[in-house]
mmCIF file of all heavy atoms in Angstrom:
data_model
loop_
_atom_site.group_PDB
_atom_site.id
_atom_site.type_symbol
_atom_site.label_atom_id
_atom_site.label_comp_id
_atom_site.label_asym_id
_atom_site.label_seq_id
_atom_site.Cartn_x
_atom_site.Cartn_y
_atom_site.Cartn_z
ATOM 1 N N PHE A 262 -12.549 -16.988 -23.031
ATOM 2 C CA PHE A 262 -12.448 -17.676 -24.316
ATOM 3 C C PHE A 262 -11.176 -17.151 -24.976
ATOM 4 O O PHE A 262 -10.781 -16.031 -24.710
ATOM 5 C CB PHE A 262 -13.613 -17.294 -25.255
ATOM 6 C CG PHE A 262 -14.947 -17.914 -24.931
ATOM 7 C CD1 PHE A 262 -15.638 -17.558 -23.776
ATOM 8 C CD2 PHE A 262 -15.531 -18.816 -25.802
ATOM 9 C CE1 PHE A 262 -16.890 -18.099 -23.500
ATOM 10 C CE2 PHE A 262 -16.780 -19.369 -25.542
ATOM 11 C CZ PHE A 262 -17.459 -19.012 -24.384
ATOM 12 N N TRP A 264 -10.131 -15.137 -27.774
ATOM 13 C CA TRP A 264 -9.503 -14.193 -26.892
ATOM 14 C C TRP A 264 -10.481 -13.113 -26.533
ATOM 15 O O TRP A 264 -10.372 -11.986 -26.991
ATOM 16 C CB TRP A 264 -8.254 -13.620 -27.589
ATOM 17 C CG TRP A 264 -7.199 -14.678 -27.700
ATOM 18 C CD1 TRP A 264 -6.277 -14.992 -26.748
ATOM 19 C CD2 TRP A 264 -6.941 -15.580 -28.779
ATOM 20 N NE1 TRP A 264 -5.481 -16.049 -27.157
ATOM 21 C CE2 TRP A 264 -5.866 -16.425 -28.405
ATOM 22 C CE3 TRP A 264 -7.553 -15.804 -30.014
ATOM 23 C CZ2 TRP A 264 -5.381 -17.438 -29.229
ATOM 24 C CZ3 TRP A 264 -7.058 -16.805 -30.828
ATOM 25 C CH2 TRP A 264 -5.968 -17.604 -30.425
ATOM 26 N N PHE A 266 -14.094 -12.291 -23.518
ATOM 27 C CA PHE A 266 -14.769 -12.676 -22.272
ATOM 28 C C PHE A 266 -16.285 -12.702 -22.452
ATOM 29 O O PHE A 266 -16.850 -11.820 -23.096
ATOM 30 C CB PHE A 266 -14.457 -11.675 -21.156
ATOM 31 C CG PHE A 266 -13.033 -11.730 -20.674
ATOM 32 C CD1 PHE A 266 -12.054 -10.946 -21.262
ATOM 33 C CD2 PHE A 266 -12.679 -12.568 -19.624
ATOM 34 C CE1 PHE A 266 -10.743 -10.992 -20.810
ATOM 35 C CE2 PHE A 266 -11.369 -12.617 -19.167
ATOM 36 C CZ PHE A 266 -10.393 -11.827 -19.763
ATOM 37 N N ILE A 309 -5.959 -21.544 -19.739
ATOM 38 C CA ILE A 309 -5.975 -20.712 -18.540
ATOM 39 C C ILE A 309 -5.935 -19.239 -18.934
ATOM 40 O O ILE A 309 -5.101 -18.813 -19.733
ATOM 41 C CB ILE A 309 -4.766 -21.021 -17.631
ATOM 42 C CG1 ILE A 309 -4.790 -22.495 -17.198
ATOM 43 C CG2 ILE A 309 -4.774 -20.118 -16.393
ATOM 44 C CD1 ILE A 309 -3.620 -22.885 -16.315
ATOM 45 N N HIS A 310 -6.878 -18.465 -18.414
ATOM 46 C CA HIS A 310 -6.856 -17.007 -18.558
ATOM 47 C C HIS A 310 -6.783 -16.417 -17.157
ATOM 48 O O HIS A 310 -6.861 -17.138 -16.165
ATOM 49 C CB HIS A 310 -8.128 -16.508 -19.251
ATOM 50 C CG HIS A 310 -8.344 -17.088 -20.613
ATOM 51 N ND1 HIS A 310 -7.734 -16.585 -21.742
ATOM 52 C CD2 HIS A 310 -9.084 -18.141 -21.033
ATOM 53 C CE1 HIS A 310 -8.108 -17.304 -22.793
ATOM 54 N NE2 HIS A 310 -8.925 -18.258 -22.398
ATOM 55 N N SER A 311 -6.667 -15.093 -17.066
ATOM 56 C CA SER A 311 -6.652 -14.466 -15.751
ATOM 57 C C SER A 311 -7.431 -13.165 -15.805
ATOM 58 O O SER A 311 -7.294 -12.380 -16.739
ATOM 59 C CB SER A 311 -5.212 -14.208 -15.322
ATOM 60 O OG SER A 311 -5.199 -13.575 -14.068
ATOM 61 N N CYS A 345 -6.765 -9.680 -19.777
ATOM 62 C CA CYS A 345 -6.381 -11.041 -19.422
ATOM 63 C C CYS A 345 -4.914 -10.993 -19.019
ATOM 64 O O CYS A 345 -4.091 -10.432 -19.718
ATOM 65 C CB CYS A 345 -6.573 -12.000 -20.594
ATOM 66 S SG CYS A 345 -5.856 -13.631 -20.273
ATOM 67 N N GLU A 347 -2.880 -13.709 -18.125
ATOM 68 C CA GLU A 347 -2.170 -14.993 -18.148
ATOM 69 C C GLU A 347 -2.003 -15.348 -19.620
ATOM 70 O O GLU A 347 -2.990 -15.447 -20.340
ATOM 71 C CB GLU A 347 -3.012 -16.052 -17.427
ATOM 72 C CG GLU A 347 -2.427 -17.442 -17.445
ATOM 73 C CD GLU A 347 -1.220 -17.587 -16.536
ATOM 74 O OE1 GLU A 347 -1.344 -17.240 -15.360
ATOM 75 O OE2 GLU A 347 -0.169 -18.025 -17.014
ATOM 76 N N TYR A 348 -0.761 -15.540 -20.049
ATOM 77 C CA TYR A 348 -0.517 -15.775 -21.477
ATOM 78 C C TYR A 348 -1.378 -16.923 -22.001
ATOM 79 O O TYR A 348 -1.364 -18.017 -21.438
ATOM 80 C CB TYR A 348 0.965 -16.069 -21.742
ATOM 81 C CG TYR A 348 1.201 -16.325 -23.198
ATOM 82 C CD1 TYR A 348 1.115 -15.284 -24.124
ATOM 83 C CD2 TYR A 348 1.432 -17.607 -23.675
ATOM 84 C CE1 TYR A 348 1.266 -15.516 -25.477
ATOM 85 C CE2 TYR A 348 1.592 -17.846 -25.026
ATOM 86 C CZ TYR A 348 1.510 -16.795 -25.922
ATOM 87 O OH TYR A 348 1.641 -17.028 -27.255
ATOM 88 N N CYS A 349 -2.157 -16.646 -23.064
ATOM 89 C CA CYS A 349 -3.124 -17.648 -23.504
ATOM 90 C C CYS A 349 -3.149 -17.839 -25.012
ATOM 91 O O CYS A 349 -4.125 -18.319 -25.559
ATOM 92 C CB CYS A 349 -4.512 -17.256 -22.982
ATOM 93 S SG CYS A 349 -5.065 -15.645 -23.571
ATOM 94 N N HIS A 353 -3.308 -12.943 -26.884
ATOM 95 C CA HIS A 353 -3.387 -12.718 -25.436
ATOM 96 C C HIS A 353 -3.242 -11.239 -25.066
ATOM 97 O O HIS A 353 -4.002 -10.706 -24.252
ATOM 98 C CB HIS A 353 -2.314 -13.523 -24.712
ATOM 99 C CG HIS A 353 -2.001 -12.987 -23.364
ATOM 100 N ND1 HIS A 353 -2.897 -13.045 -22.323
ATOM 101 C CD2 HIS A 353 -0.927 -12.311 -22.882
ATOM 102 C CE1 HIS A 353 -2.373 -12.459 -21.264
ATOM 103 N NE2 HIS A 353 -1.187 -11.990 -21.579
ATOM 104 N N MET A 356 -6.388 -9.347 -25.410
ATOM 105 C CA MET A 356 -7.597 -9.932 -24.818
ATOM 106 C C MET A 356 -7.986 -9.037 -23.640
ATOM 107 O O MET A 356 -7.561 -9.223 -22.521
ATOM 108 C CB MET A 356 -7.322 -11.361 -24.342
ATOM 109 C CG MET A 356 -8.524 -12.010 -23.690
ATOM 110 S SD MET A 356 -8.236 -13.752 -23.377
ATOM 111 C CE MET A 356 -9.620 -14.139 -22.319
HETATM 112 CU CU1 CU B 212 -6.509 -14.931 -21.952
#
Side-chain angles (χ1 to χ4, degrees):
F262 285 68
W264 290 274
F266 290 90
I309 300 179
H310 301 277
S311 179
C345 171
E347 177 72 53
Y348 179 71
C349 60
H353 159 68
M356 179 171 168

